[in-house]
Every structure is written in structure tokens, then in C-alpha cells.
Amino acid sequence: MNTFVHLWHYIAVIFLMMTGLWTVIAKRHFVKKLMGLSMFQVAVIMFYVSMGKIEGGTAPVYLPDGEGGVDLDAVYSNPLPHVLMLTAIVVGVATTALGLALVVRIREAYGTSEENEVLEADRAEEELERAAEEADERLAEEAAGGVA
């Protein structure tokens, strides 16, 4: 039981990651898919930040000991995962904003934010274009046949 208490963040990461993945796969609304991607990203950020923290570690700043030297026996936490995740948070916010802007444009163009309805509208438009091309080809053949 004591092991699970120390590994709670890994359990939370797995839960968030699987919930985000399920949301992206199972949901058909584009905003819900973006929320699932955001949950997945939060899980990855939480994983990296939790790996950078060392129990009993301090900030990676050299602290002088009592005699004016540097304490070489101190345990330090790794700052690199935290710094990288700050960048990942900024990129994630920008990506989410871009995704939401695309959803707004899709809604304006198709009148819906549901994936199935957008795909159906695209298929219907392709069928209309194909029928128009076939009609144009028939007219061209008839015109060429009448000239010869």
C-alpha cells in the first residue's frame, strides 16, 4: 500500500492519458476531440514534471556551507524537465487556440462541428462534382460526334 502512495502521480498520469486518448477516439465533436488532446498533453506534462522532482532535493542553486565553500553533498532536483514543460504549455495553449479557430471556421463552412456530418457533406460535394464532370464529358463527346 505504501508503494501506491508514493506513485500516485503515475496513476494520475495514466488515468489522464487514457481518458484523453479515449475522448479523441470515441467522441465525434471537434471541440471534444480538442479537449481530449489537451487532457493528453496535461498528462505528458505532469509525467515529465513528476520525473524532475527528487524527494529531498532542493533547487539547483549552489548554497555555501558554513565555511564559505560550496556544499557538494546536497541533492538537487533536475530543472530541465520543468523548463521544457513551460515551453510545452505555451505551445499547447497556442495549438489549442489554433484548433478552436479551425473548429469555428469548419462550423461557419459546414454549419456543424460534428465529424460525421462534415464527412457526409464532403462526400455529397464530391459526388456532385463527379456527376458534373461526367455530364461535361458527355456533352463534349456529343459535340465532337456532331462535328465529325
Side-chain angles (χ1 to χ4, degrees), residues 94-111:
T95 305
T96 303
L98 178 66
L100 288 171
L102 289 173
V103 169
V104 168
R105 296 288 295 176
I106 289 171
R107 180 140 179 108
E108 288 174 357
Y110 291 95

Side-chain angles (χ1 to χ4, degrees), residues 19 37 39 41 44 52 58 68 73 76 90-91 94 96 112 127 134 140:
T19 304
L37 286 173
M39 289 174 65
Q41 178 192 14
V44 171
T58 183
D73 294 330
Y76 298 107
V90 171
V91 170
T96 303
T112 183
E127 289 176 8
E134 290 174 359

Side-chain angles (χ1 to χ4, degrees), residues 53-60 71-78:
K53 176 65 179 142
I54 297 174
E55 192 171 321
T58 183
D71 184 11
L72 298 176
D73 294 330
V75 177
Y76 298 107
S77 292
N78 187 1

